[in-house]
Amino acid sequence: MKTTIAQVPAHEGKEVTIGVWLTNKRSSGKIAFLQLRDGTGFIQGVVAKNDVTDEVFQLAKNLNQETSLYITGKIAEDKRSPFGYEMQVTDMEVIQEASDYPITPKEHGTEFLMDHRHLWLRSSRQHAVMKIRNEIIRATYQYFNDNGYVKVDAPILTGASAEGTTELFHTKYFDEDAYLSQSGQLYMEAAAMALGKVFSFGPTFRAEKSKTRRHLIEFWMIEPEMAFTNHEESLEIQEQYVTFVVQSVLQNCQLELQTLGRDTTKLEAVQAPFPRISYDDAVQLLKEKGFDDIEWGEDFGAPHETAIAESFDKPVFIINYPTDIKAFYMKPDPERPEVVQCADLIAPEGYGEVVGGSQRIDDPELMKQRYEEHHLSGPAYEWYLELRQYGSVPHSGFGLGLERTVAWIAGVEHVRETIPFPRLLNRLYP
Ligand code: 4AD
Ligand code: MG
């Protein structure tokens, strides 16, 4: 019977065949231990000299790393393995013999591993990270589908900037200029006026010359947008959604979190509601923590965010940033126009901003004024203004960066390990 490692618990005591790759092995005189993977999981195969033909035993002792094979054996409980099962091997058939696999069980440097990303993905650590990424995506679709949102796809080739013009990837679009999307938000605002509650999930691009553990050039963003929703209501949606995602990973990825050595008590504490701190109070807090040179009106950097997050054991919303340092579309507080109705959600443990959101300007005159202040003009902005001219309503939305969220939940230091093929400042390969 052909099966997969993930299905093994259903076959305890029975003989099965699995297509696998060898990841590692050790053998002594009469026994060989094979570490096997098939994409669905990892299992140990035990080859006892007395249970197999001489030919199979010799084959087992001489298998090279990443050789592909069909392996047959009886599934038995194994209390010492985190997976809980092993295979008592009876037969093997090699599909392709591999030799000189570049990634050996010894330590390799990061650049070497990044150059071999197409192979590095096979490791148990990368496997765990990709499974957690997948669970976050699955839980995202579940949350928004269960709560009445419509998934709407935003274009990737766009005629205008959504988040500031300095970080745009430019390309020719026949005779016109085009840019790779920095955010689907402006299109989601149009979609929310047609469908009420919507979300997009797609790749976004930032030609940012940042070389930090939090920055990718190409990253995936989940961008919900809700009509008839104010900023306070949007914050409640954000904390519900993030709680749902974290708890889903805890529920469905125990083995992966264990593989990564993640301290899960920190994740268990992630339950809505999340604390909120105003930008004003955050500046005060930073001064108390010894950041003497931070002044009201300046943006926070990574060390500031980390210091603020340290005061809380859950993700924390920093709300009402100065209008001057935020995007043109954010709605100024009617009582205090020098700040906007926005929030950044800062993850605990130094992972930084994972969500950015705001209420949007709904008044056409104010939007025109903001265009001028930000020097935004041209036909690309006309349709966006028209959204404010035909039945404008209060609306809010936010963007969650997938890779930063994966890094935080999986407990992975750098976002380069949280996307299958990272695009970094100096990396377009593989
Ligand atoms: O704060 P940002 O720039 O917000 C927007 O793009 C809004 N239009 C979203 C919206 O309201 N619909 O980006 C949102 C999130 C950040 O909080 C961060 O998690 C992630 O996207 N992000 C990045 N992730 C990896 N690498 C980068 N260079 C990122 N830039 C932003
Ligand atoms: Mg932001």
Side-chain angles (χ1 to χ4, degrees):
M1 158 113 199
K2 200 167 159 188
T3 189
T4 61
I5 295 174
Q7 295 297 319
V8 146
H11 298 283
E12 197 188 330
K14 300 200 190 84
E15 191 173 84
V16 296
T17 298
I18 311 177
V20 295
W21 292 269
L22 181 90
T23 65
N24 204 356
K25 68 162 195 284
R26 92 197 136 77
S27 59
S28 60
K30 290 196 162 102
I31 195 154
F33 296 99
L34 310 179
Q35 306 309 321
L36 308 166
R37 60 174 193 90
D38 77 338
T40 74
F42 297 82
I43 194 169
Q44 173 167 271
V46 184
V47 192
K49 197 170 189 304
N50 294 337
D51 293 348
V52 295
T53 62
D54 274 356
E55 202 188 345
V56 167
F57 192 67
Q58 284 312 315
L59 189 61
K61 280 175 67 171
N62 292 313
L63 284 176
N64 287 329
Q65 196 185 347
E66 289 307 311
T67 288
S68 51
L69 63 149
Y70 289 112
I71 196 157
T72 301
K74 195 168 114 181
I75 301 304
E77 203 185 346
D78 176 14
K79 289 216 169 71
R80 286 155 305 173
S81 111
F83 178 52
Y85 297 89
E86 66 175 21
M87 177 189 262
Q88 292 160 355
V89 178
T90 53
D91 201 7
M92 296 192 297
E93 180 198 331
V94 169
I95 302 169
Q96 191 201 37
E97 211 170 308
S99 55
D100 303 321
Y101 185 66
I103 306 176
T104 58
K106 70 161 200 200
E107 286 277 313
H108 294 282
T110 304
E111 282 309 298
F112 179 86
L113 291 169
M114 293 298 288
D115 283 341
H116 294 84
R117 182 67 178 167
H118 49 296
L119 302 176
W120 189 24
L121 281 174
R122 302 177 182 195
S123 74
S124 57
R125 176 180 162 87
Q126 299 309 315
H127 183 269
V129 176
M130 289 304 129
K131 291 291 285 276
I132 289 171
R133 179 183 168 103
N134 180 63
E135 176 59 20
I136 294 170
I137 295 169
R138 192 205 60 75
T140 293
Y141 277 96
Q142 187 184 339
Y143 180 84
F144 290 111
N145 283 321
D146 286 356
N147 286 282
Y149 289 70
V150 179
K151 164 124 193 295
V152 176
D153 302 311
I156 290 174
L157 288 167
T158 63
S161 145
E163 294 295 321
T165 49
T166 52
E167 301 167 354
L168 280 171
F169 271 106
H170 174 256
T171 181
K172 284 313 277 183
Y173 191 76
F174 306 108
D175 295 336
E176 289 180 67
D177 288 310
Y179 309 96
L180 299 185
S181 175
Q182 294 172 304
S183 157
Q185 179 194 322
L186 308 190
Y187 295 95
M188 288 308 103
E189 290 184 55
M193 301 306 139
L195 294 151
K197 294 199 286 185
V198 297
F199 73 107
S200 69
F201 175 43
T204 46
F205 307 85
R206 307 259 168 117
E208 244 177 309
K209 297 244 154 100
S210 307
K211 209 175 167 183
T212 79
R213 49 179 283 221
R214 299 166 179 188
H215 285 90
L216 290 161
I217 304 300
E218 177 179 310
F219 65 98
W220 286 66
M221 199 170 10
I222 290 132
E223 295 188 90
E225 192 74 30
M226 299 78 67
F228 307 106
T229 300
N230 65 30
H231 186 239
E232 176 57 34
E233 292 164 327
S234 173
L235 292 182
E236 285 167 23
I237 295 163
Q238 292 173 47
E239 62 197 7
Q240 296 295 338
Y241 162 51
V242 170
T243 298
F244 183 76
V245 164
V246 171
Q247 298 307 317
S248 296
V249 172
L250 272 172
Q251 204 171 359
N252 300 322
C253 297
Q254 274 303 325
L255 209 54
E256 288 78 10
L257 292 166
Q258 202 181 328
T259 299
L260 296 166
R262 183 69 170 104
D263 176 357
T264 51
T265 58
K266 296 243 165 60
L267 298 177
E268 277 151 22
V270 179
Q271 297 282 357
F274 297 160
R276 284 138 212 225
I277 181 174
S278 68
Y279 171 89
D280 300 347
D281 289 345
V283 171
Q284 268 321 108
L285 180 66
L286 286 171
K287 284 191 187 292
E288 283 161 26
K289 288 187 171 237
F291 290 87
D292 299 321
D293 48 351
I294 185 90
E295 292 300 335
W296 197 96
E298 288 171 19
D299 207 356
F300 296 148
H304 303 120
E305 288 178 356
T306 301
I308 295 164
E310 271 167 8
S311 300
F312 304 91
D313 54 5
K314 290 185 194 182
V316 53
F317 286 114
I318 305 177
I319 61 171
N320 297 348
Y321 279 76
T323 308
D324 286 347
I325 56 170
K326 286 293 185 186
F328 74 94
Y329 52 73
M330 292 188 182
K331 188 179 166 105
D333 187 328
E335 263 132 56
R336 239 189 113 192
E338 70 275 19
V339 299
V340 276
Q341 295 178 316
C342 76
D344 283 356
L345 182 66
I346 313 299
E349 304 170 73
Y351 288 95
E353 179 201 330
V354 287
V355 183
S358 66
Q359 185 160 343
R360 323 305 192 185
I361 293 174
D362 49 39
D363 177 59
E365 292 312 314
L366 182 56
M367 185 57 89
K368 272 189 220 159
Q369 191 188 318
R370 298 293 281 158
Y371 275 8
E372 275 159 33
E373 287 163 11
H374 284 254
H375 311 290
L376 302 170
S377 62
Y381 291 96
E382 275 172 25
W383 66 262
Y384 187 67
L385 193 60
E386 282 181 19
L387 303 177
R388 276 78 188 161
Q389 286 163 339
Y390 304 110
S392 191
V393 299
H395 63 288
S396 303
F398 60 93
L400 174 134
L402 177 63
E403 288 76 17
R404 287 193 194 173
T405 305
V406 176
W408 162 43
I409 297 178
V412 168
E413 171 84 5
H414 198 296
V415 288
R416 68 186 161 217
E417 286 186 64
T418 64
I419 183 164
F421 296 98
R423 297 299 173 236
L424 299 163
L425 196 50
N426 298 315
R427 181 170 294 282
L428 193 58
Y429 179 90

